[in-house]
């Protein structure tokens, strides 16, 4: 104890304490200087880097607009779904070394490694994921790309279980298109498909510099490709929103930039909110169509197993009430990966379910074209209503004989314009066509809406063919011959039309000569309920035929249904007169004996029927085509009759009640004594 208290040893310890204190002071000075450098000198730089590392953008997919029929029924809507997405910037190029996090798990993986892991969970080829990642990097590297949309519950569970080993991969809650009526409206409404790589550059260029931005579409996004979905893609798509989240080193979310959720975990996120980096999603606009669900369903049911089309439209507006194509397909199958075997089945089906027969199918119009020829003859002064030709079943031109459909029974005898339409006499129109020449017929046909697309604006509508002498020479087919006219005036030969064109033509005859552009979208409302689009009746042209002459055509069409010699007399509706015209269009050349009824169905004639109703004050026009249906009177006319009966069921019921009441009153009064005023 004495030694420790010696003055010598106490001095030694004081020196050591001073040295130790100086060392601590120096260390704290260095730390203080470094802290000052980091906090003050480089604070802004590191704050920015920290924000970039800890804040991630999450998309809020905008729901697609709903499509309604004319009475408010949903024709296309949305349902909840899950997408597996990958942010391109969160994956490394092929062959790169993984970036490890503090726990030893990878924060970033090379895309080839990540694709192998993810492809196995989603049954996707790894090469496809790598390719999609490469394309997505060409746009916004920070916008998630869809690896697989609308995953099944099993796929979702597999991905979630392996999330820790899939850096950059997220499961996003979204919505998917749903068609509650299956294929009933598949050709009209259309379908969605994933954006293809060859489309992406065009879409980026299209939206560059717009409020939507060049990354409005990304690989894996869905885009309308047919029907209304394609024609009104801009209105239906909407605009995706986004919010920012605070994530930890493993990418797990620990905070969101949402209003009303204060707390220390949200400080950085709220800073981004205040800076305006959040975007609210804007749902797509809702479309209200002109078509009616119950009429569409009835028309489809009436087609049964047949292939063809039905068009119903209003004669004074062009508003389409039904647009049916048969057979149909399920539009839902195009939203994801389409199995090759299913695509082969659809594309090779002889009934062509993928084809829009109403707008793209071009067929010889057959005898439904005879009203056009009759109108041309009257307007041009070639014939009068009383002009008569004799039909013995044949028309001789040089050494050739052209048959009338009634050739086996000796023809129609003496026929005027009215009886020629009622009985569909071919010989009458052979004679009239020879007098007119087909160039004049073509002129009047164009005025009735034939020879070009109707203008409905969907599905790359085709316009059929209205030939004339200039067309034949221009296409290298030589000079127009009288024989060409003989075939053309009965709707055969080069003459073709679509079911939509025939409906437009029939409507023009019914309304006094106005050709209206048909339309299927009545109006559109944005997410705030504001009207952003409304269609209006648009008369395209007017027939160069007087109302007096069109009235004669309408009267003859009434006779087709109402008179004993009418070709559609079996489709008459007692007490409710309507007008129509049957047609039969040859598919193959027929021999002297005609086509046998036992011939294969694919060789049978196409069956047509066009109609308007009611006869007095017409409101609707109908066009029915049954492919290989053999006869318009038996295959197509009954369909039109059933549609008229349904559409006017209340009026027909009233007429029948009134008729029954009148009959009862007559029976009660007893027989008349024949004495009048």
């Amino acid at each position: 104890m004495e030694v420790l208290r010696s003055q010598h040893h106490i001095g030694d310890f004081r020196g050591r304490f001073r040295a130790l204190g100086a060392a601590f002071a120096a260390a704290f000075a260095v730390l203080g200087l470094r802290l000052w450098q980091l906090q003050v000198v480089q604070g802004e730089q590191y704050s920015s880097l920290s924000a970039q590392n800890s804040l991630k953008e999450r998309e809020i997919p905008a729901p697609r607009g709903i499509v309604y029929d004319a009475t408010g029924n949903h024709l296309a809507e949305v349902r909840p779904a899950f997408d597996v997405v990958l942010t391109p910037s969160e994956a490394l190029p092929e062959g790169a070394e993984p970036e490890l996090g503090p726990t030893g798990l990878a924060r970033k993986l090379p895309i080839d490694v990540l694709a192998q892991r993810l492809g196995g969970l989603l049954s996707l080829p790894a090469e496809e994921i790598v390719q999609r990642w490469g394309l997505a990097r060409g746009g916004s590297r920070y916008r998630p790309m869809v690896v697989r949309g609308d995953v099944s519950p099993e796929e979702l569970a597999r991905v979630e279980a392996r999330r820790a080993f899939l850096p950059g991969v997220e499961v996003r809650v979204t919505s998917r298109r749903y068609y509650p009526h299956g294929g009933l409206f598949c050709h009209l409404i259309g379908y969605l498909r994933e954006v293809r790589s060859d489309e992406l550059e065009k879409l980026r260029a299209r939206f560059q510099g717009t409020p939507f931005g060049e990354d409005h579409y990304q690989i894996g996004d869905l885009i309308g490709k047919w029907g209304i979905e394609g024609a009104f893609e801009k209105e239906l798509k909407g605009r995706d929103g986004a919010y920012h989240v605070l994530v930890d080193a493993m990418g797990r979310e620990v905070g969101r930039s949402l209003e009303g959720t204060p707390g220390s975990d949200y400080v950085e996120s709220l800073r981004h909110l205040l800076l305006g980096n959040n975007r609210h999603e804007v749902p797509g606009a809702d479309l209200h169509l002109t078509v009616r669900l119950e009429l569409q369903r009835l028309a489809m049911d009436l087609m049964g197993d047949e292939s063809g089309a039905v068009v119903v439209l209003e004669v004074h507006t062009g508003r389409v009430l039904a647009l049916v194509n048969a057979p149909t397909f399920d539009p839902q199958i195009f939203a994801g990966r389409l199995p090759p075997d299913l695509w082969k089945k659809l594309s090779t089906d002889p009934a062509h379910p993928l084809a829009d027969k109403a707008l793209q199918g071009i067929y010889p119009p057959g005898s439904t074209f005879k009203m056009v020829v009759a109108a041309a003859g009257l307007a041009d002064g070639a014939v009068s209503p009383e002009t008569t030709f004799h039909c013995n079943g044949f028309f001789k031109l040089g050494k050739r004989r052209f048959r009338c459909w009634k050739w086996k029974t000796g023809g129609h005898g003496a026929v005027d314009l009215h009886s020629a339409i009622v009985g569909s006499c071919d010989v009458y129109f052979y004679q009239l066509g020879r007098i007119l020449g087909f160039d004049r017929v073509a002129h009047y046909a164009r005025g009735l809406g034939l020879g070009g697309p109707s203008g409905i604006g969907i599905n790359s509508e085709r316009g059929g063919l209205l030939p004339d002498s200039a067309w034949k020479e221009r296409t290298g087919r030589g000079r127009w011959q009288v024989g060409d006219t003989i075939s053309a005036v009965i709707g055969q030969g080069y003459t073709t039309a679509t079911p939509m064109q025939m409906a437009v033509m029939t409507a023009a005859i019914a309304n006094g000569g106005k050709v209206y552009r048909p339309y299927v979208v009545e109006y559109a409302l944005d997410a705030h309920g504001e009207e952003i689009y409304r269609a209006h009746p648009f008369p395209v042209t007017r027939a160069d035929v007087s109302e007096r002459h069109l009235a004669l055509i309408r009267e003859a069409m009434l006779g087709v249904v109402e008179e004993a010699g009418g070709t559609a007399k079996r489709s008459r509706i007692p007490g409710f007169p309507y007008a129509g015209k049957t047609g039969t269009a040859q598919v193959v050349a027929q021999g002297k004996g005609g086509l046998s009824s036992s011939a294969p169905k694919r060789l049978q004639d196409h069956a047509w029927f066009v109609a308007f109703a009611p006869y007095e004050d017409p409101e609707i026009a109908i066009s029915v085509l049954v492919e290989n249906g053999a006869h318009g009177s038996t295959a197509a006319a009954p369909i039109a009759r059933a549609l008229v009966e349904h559409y006017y069921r209340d009026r027909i019921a009233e007429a029948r009640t009134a008729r029954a009441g009148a009959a009862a009153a007559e029976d009660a009064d007893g027989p008349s004594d024949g004495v009048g005023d």
Side-chain angles (χ1 to χ4, degrees), residues 4 12 17 30 136 146 156 166 181 206 210 238 322 335 389 391 393 412 433 446 456 464 486 525 538 552 564 668:
L4 292 174
D12 288 343
F17 283 137
V30 170
V146 178
L156 177 62
L166 300 168
H181 304 289
R206 176 182 172 187
T210 70
F389 296 110
C391 171
H412 291 85
R446 293 187 187 96
I456 193 171
I486 300 304
L525 301 179
F538 183 79
L552 294 172

Side-chain angles (χ1 to χ4, degrees), residues 486-652:
I486 300 304
S487 295
V489 292
I490 61 166
Q492 295 289 163
Y494 298 119
T495 310
T496 59
T498 67
M500 174 58 78
Q501 285 179 300
M502 298 309 294
V504 169
M505 177 207 75
T506 304
I509 292 173
N511 69 29
K514 284 186 179 180
V515 175
Y516 284 93
R517 182 170 61 200
Y519 62 95
V520 291
V521 178
E522 190 78 66
Y523 61 93
L525 301 179
D526 67 13
H528 305 291
E530 298 292 328
E531 187 173 285
I532 60 172
Y533 172 85
R534 178 170 286 275
H536 298 282
F538 183 79
V540 179
T541 187
R542 186 179 183 90
D544 191 16
V545 183
S546 70
E547 166 58 22
R548 180 172 63 88
H549 289 150
L550 289 175
L552 294 172
I553 305 299
R554 292 195 295 270
E555 185 180 352
M557 291 176 67
L558 174 67
V560 170
V561 179
E562 291 290 326
E563 295 181 16
T567 54
K569 60 182 179 293
R570 282 178 289 184
S571 291
R572 177 175 175 267
I573 301 175
F576 190 83
Y578 72 101
K581 181 70 186 79
T582 56
T584 301
Q586 291 182 7
V587 174
V588 295
Q590 300 177 10
K592 292 182 178 181
L595 187 68
S596 169
S597 59
S598 62
K601 184 174 177 61
R602 61 184 175 82
L603 301 180
Q604 296 290 339
D605 298 339
H606 296 320
W608 282 97
F609 188 70
V610 296
F612 65 84
Y615 173 67
E616 297 291 345
D617 195 14
E619 296 174 348
I620 64 170
I622 301 174
S623 170
V624 180
L625 169 80
V626 179
E627 290 185 339
N628 310 114
H631 301 289
S633 59
T634 56
I639 294 174
R641 172 191 166 143
L643 291 171
V644 171
E645 285 183 312
H646 172 80
Y647 194 81
Y648 293 105
R649 55 192 179 277
D650 293 338
R651 293 196 205 177
I652 292 172

Side-chain angles (χ1 to χ4, degrees), residues 191-416:
Y191 53 83
L192 307 180
R193 293 212 69 173
E194 286 192 6
V195 173
R196 299 193 312 265
S197 58
D198 60 321
E199 295 175 306
L200 196 56
E201 288 303 319
K202 295 178 182 177
L203 288 169
R204 285 172 178 164
R206 176 182 172 187
F207 288 98
Q208 189 174 24
T210 70
F212 297 101
E214 66 176 357
D215 61 343
H216 191 46
Y217 289 92
Q218 184 63 282
I219 285 294
D221 286 353
L222 295 176
I223 187 172
K225 296 297 295 182
W226 194 247
I228 297 300
E229 296 277 26
F232 285 81
E233 167 67 15
K234 180 181 177 183
E235 290 80 5
L236 287 167
K237 177 176 169 55
R239 186 175 180 182
D240 294 341
Y243 64 93
H244 290 79
V245 297
L246 192 66
V247 297
D248 61 17
M250 297 307 301
R252 293 172 297 195
E253 184 177 320
V254 296
R256 294 191 183 192
S257 53
L258 299 175
E259 296 180 85
T261 55
S264 59
D265 289 338
Y266 296 87
V267 173
E268 288 296 320
S269 301
L270 289 172
R271 186 175 71 82
H272 271 252
L273 175 64
L274 294 173
L275 290 175
N277 287 336
N278 282 5
R279 302 188 310 272
H280 291 288
E281 76 278 15
V282 180
D286 294 337
L287 301 185
H288 294 256
L289 306 190
T290 60
V291 295
R292 301 187 179 190
L293 173 61
E294 85 285 349
L295 199 64
Q296 183 90 359
R297 182 180 286 129
L298 174 61
M300 185 65 74
D301 291 343
L302 291 168
M303 287 296 294
D305 295 329
E306 300 289 354
S307 176
V310 178
V311 180
V312 184
L313 49 79
E314 292 180 353
V315 303
H316 294 290
T317 64
R319 185 182 287 112
V320 178
L321 304 179
L323 189 60
V324 168
N325 285 276
T328 65
F329 60 89
D330 181 5
Q332 210 71 52
I333 62 175
F334 290 100
R337 291 172 56 85
L338 185 63
D341 57 336
L342 180 56
W343 169 250
K344 182 178 180 181
K345 179 181 178 182
L346 288 171
S347 58
T348 59
D349 189 328
H352 306 294
L354 297 176
D356 186 340
K357 300 176 178 68
L359 303 181
Q360 293 184 315
I362 51 175
Y363 309 88
S367 293
T368 58
F369 190 72
K370 289 174 180 175
M371 285 99 69
V372 177
V373 181
L378 290 171
D380 223 45
V383 292
S384 71
E386 295 76 27
T387 301
T388 301
F389 296 110
H390 185 78
C391 171
N392 62 1
F394 297 93
F395 172 74
K396 192 172 182 181
L397 180 65
K399 296 181 178 180
R400 294 186 62 187
R401 290 204 309 175
F402 292 85
R403 290 197 305 254
C404 178
W405 70 271
K406 210 172 179 181
W407 64 278
K408 290 183 179 179
T409 57
H412 291 85
V415 285
D416 58 12

Side-chain angles (χ1 to χ4, degrees), residues 473-484:
E473 292 187 13
R474 186 172 64 250
T475 56
R477 290 175 169 84
R479 297 183 62 184
W480 189 270
Q481 305 295 328
V482 178
D484 296 326

